[in-house]
Amino acid sequence: GTDKDTCVRVRQWLLLRMNKKVWQHGVPHMGLSPDTIPGVRTIPVWPNEEFSWLSAVEDCHQVIVDELLSVRGSGTFQPYRDPPREIVGKEQIPSDGIGIEGVDRGAWNVAYLFLNHKKFEDNCSRFPRTIEAISSVFPRHYTHAFFSALTPNSHILPHHGPSNRMLRVWLPLCGLDGFRLRVGDQIVTPQAGKAFVWDHSFEHEAWHDGDETRIVLIVDIWHPDLTDDEVKFLKTLQNARLKAGRELLEREGNGAIDDTYYGIVERTRGLLTSDDWWVIKAERGEQVVN
């Protein structure tokens, strides 16, 4: 059996859920969500000293950039969309009607490797060395990893992640000039090849005023304060939830999930018919010279 002392935070969270309550943490800028775990540290942007393995992540930078550039033109990316919600601005409703935009200007595209324990086999096969790095270098990987691309003159609207049970690791890859990220009340200006860790349960938004498409590798890890027993328990719950979702899909058909996160991810695959949005400064410079 599991020693109850190693699951104290998860037991507190379960009691809240059973009583239909949410942890009232009182932390400025941090979201209130049923999936927020009480009793773990709440730090918007974590000190790198907390993670001795970050230097090994940075060592992978050039290999991952090379692999990324090799897939340009292969249709690997798709538009990032959120499930519909009741109140959105008109600029957030895309012309294709699938989900809602996360930006009010510019374009935000993603290439999923893992999403909530689902592996995107086609994409993963294009990034073998990136997948090797994720599995070998990142501790307690949350099985959520993707490339995030933001075109010049883009703005990602303020939003919260769904839970504080994971932290978000960024390895900035290319096109970082003119980009800044706000996490809570902190502004981060990421540098290519310099990894950092932040908590996306805090409200965050991003601006990209550079002239080149900004791309970062995002890998989520389990919160370091959670014990291995707590992670094991939460994983079991997640797997049960995913299994129930798959059974609903089999029973109800595609219509049941069209507006869920998974449904939107499936429906946006193949929407980008070219990589014109992928602006590389050197190429733009060559065009100016000609």
Side-chain angles (χ1 to χ4, degrees), residues 184-228:
D185 59 2
Q186 291 183 238
I187 299 289
V188 184
T189 52
Q191 306 297 311
K194 301 295 181 186
F196 65 102
V197 181
W198 57 287
D199 184 338
H200 79 148
S201 67
F202 283 83
E203 183 185 79
H204 51 282
E205 75 181 302
W207 302 262
H208 186 34
D209 302 322
D211 57 4
E212 186 170 24
T213 299
R214 181 235 65 179
I215 306 183
V216 300
L217 174 66
I218 296 174
V219 180
D220 288 348
I221 59 168
W222 288 94
H223 195 295
D225 289 353
L226 293 172
T227 65
D228 288 342

Side-chain angles (χ1 to χ4, degrees), residues 2 23 113 120 145 154 162 187 190 232 254:
T2 297
W23 181 35
L113 302 172
F120 287 70
S154 290
I187 299 289
K232 184 179 178 182
N254 282 326

Side-chain angles (χ1 to χ4, degrees), residues 118-138:
K118 172 182 167 66
K119 185 176 183 181
F120 287 70
E121 298 286 356
D122 288 354
N123 286 353
C124 287
S125 68
R126 296 183 175 113
F127 298 100
R129 299 187 73 181
T130 301
I131 300 303
E132 182 186 341
I134 289 171
S135 60
S136 63
V137 177
F138 291 83

Side-chain angles (χ1 to χ4, degrees), residues 28-33 157-163 200-204:
H29 307 292
M30 186 178 168
L32 289 172
S33 160
L157 292 155
H159 63 289
H160 298 88
S163 174
H200 79 148
S201 67
F202 283 83
E203 183 185 79
H204 51 282

Side-chain angles (χ1 to χ4, degrees), residues 4-24 34-40 164 226 230 233-234:
K4 69 177 185 177
D5 288 337
T6 65
C7 283
V8 62
R9 286 165 290 255
V10 165
R11 284 190 292 113
Q12 290 173 342
W13 171 71
L14 273 177
L15 282 171
L16 288 168
R17 291 301 304 262
M18 289 163 63
N19 290 290
K20 295 184 166 57
K21 292 181 178 177
V22 172
W23 181 35
Q24 301 295 318
D35 284 328
T36 299
I37 306 290
V40 298
N164 67 337
L226 293 172
E230 287 174 321
F233 179 82
L234 291 168

